Amino acid sequence: MVTLNSLAYHFSNNNRHKKWRFFIGEFVPGPEDLALDVGFSEREFSSTTNYIEKHYPFPNRLSALGVEEPKAIIERYPDVSFSRYDGAIFPFADQTFDLLWSNAVIEHVGDYSRQVAFLKEIRRVAKRFFITTPNLYFPVEVHTRTPFLHYLGKERFDWYLRRRGQGWATDNYMHLLSRKQIARLCIDAGVTNCVIRPNRLFGFILEYWIYTPRDNALCH
């Protein structure tokens, strides 16, 4: 029987494959490159969790950063180097990494000022980066699978989620972004060499990909 959850996982799986194919084609990681995943998950909820750890072709050149204490994940991916941080400053020197991947994390780091700080840290430690984040105006809020009500604004949507028993998704759990807000974030974080690319599902913009192009074009 096809359920909403099974459909959601199907589209999520296909979308994760799509992002990965783009990342590999655009960034072409090699054995000499140091790569960083920002946002590993200690617990794996589906086959797409910790996607880069599962598929990166040179795991001994991959590091992963998260706010959780890495325990079980170290056993699952013994060749990857895992680090915990406080959610603020990345524990790496400037320009340590050639490539950086961060899938659907920036909407979870806190309010606008925290998102700016997060983006500044990405720019500081990596020469090139690939970030994704859901589109505020996609008709279905993808974390809670709620249609349209997130258009009412965060305060009202949080009230609804608490009434529905989804309080876990309120407050600083997520601050969704529009394209205009992403562009402003990039400016405020001093990120000028990036592309903001829409990724569509059924004609609607599902999410945005923010990445450093090969030619270091200005943010557009």
Side-chain angles (χ1 to χ4, degrees):
M1 178 180 179
V2 177
T3 65
L4 180 60
N5 280 340
S6 65
L7 282 174
Y9 281 124
H10 171 75
F11 289 124
S12 175
N13 187 57
N14 286 349
N15 189 48
R16 201 69 59 94
H17 290 325
K18 179 181 179 181
K19 283 183 272 197
W20 182 248
R21 289 193 300 269
F22 176 83
F23 177 78
I24 290 294
E26 177 67 26
F27 289 80
V28 195
E32 72 285 353
D33 292 321
L34 287 176
L36 177 65
D37 171 31
V38 179
F40 75 79
S41 178
E42 172 66 10
R43 290 196 301 158
E44 297 200 345
F45 301 96
S46 72
S47 62
T48 61
T49 305
N50 297 322
Y51 196 93
I52 190 170
E53 284 77 11
K54 289 181 173 70
H55 295 90
Y56 196 71
F58 311 103
N60 63 325
R61 303 291 285 175
L62 176 64
S63 297
L65 187 63
V67 295
E68 300 172 286
E69 185 67 36
K71 295 178 180 178
I73 195 170
I74 295 175
E75 297 180 6
R76 288 195 295 269
Y77 309 103
D79 293 329
V80 178
S81 175
F82 292 94
S83 300
R84 182 183 184 184
Y85 83 120
D86 61 3
I89 304 300
F90 293 3
F92 306 111
D94 295 358
Q95 301 295 279
T96 296
F97 298 98
D98 300 288
L99 313 171
L100 183 148
W101 161 284
S102 184
N103 181 64
V105 174
I106 193 170
E107 71 271 16
H108 297 301
V109 301
D111 62 13
Y112 185 83
S113 63
R114 294 294 296 268
Q115 290 173 329
V116 170
F118 180 78
L119 198 51
K120 283 182 177 179
E121 283 298 282
I122 284 176
R123 179 176 64 89
R124 181 182 68 81
V125 303
K127 297 169 187 174
R128 296 184 66 199
F129 59 81
F130 177 77
I131 309 168
T132 76
T133 190
N135 174 26
L136 169 62
Y137 295 116
F138 187 67
V140 177
E141 196 291 299
V142 297
H143 300 89
T144 60
R145 294 163 192 163
T146 305
F148 304 116
L149 294 181
H150 55 299
Y151 291 174
L152 298 175
K154 180 164 178 59
E155 184 176 341
R156 291 179 179 178
F157 188 49
D158 279 3
W159 176 87
Y160 166 78
L161 291 176
R162 291 189 183 98
R163 299 274 294 187
R164 190 186 178 189
Q166 291 183 305
W168 54 268
T170 62
D171 299 324
N172 277 333
Y173 175 79
M174 62 180 175
H175 291 265
L176 300 173
L177 296 165
S178 66
R179 191 197 186 287
K180 184 176 181 179
Q181 289 169 326
I182 293 169
R184 186 159 62 92
L185 271 176
C186 290
I187 291 171
D188 290 346
V191 177
T192 56
N193 58 329
C194 70
V195 171
I196 303 172
R197 172 174 170 160
N199 178 32
R200 297 179 183 271
L201 179 66
F202 300 129
F204 296 98
I205 298 175
L206 170 66
E207 63 186 1
Y208 288 101
W209 300 350
I210 308 103
Y211 64 94
T212 313
R214 297 182 194 183
D215 58 2
N216 285 324
L218 292 178
C219 204
H220 62 279

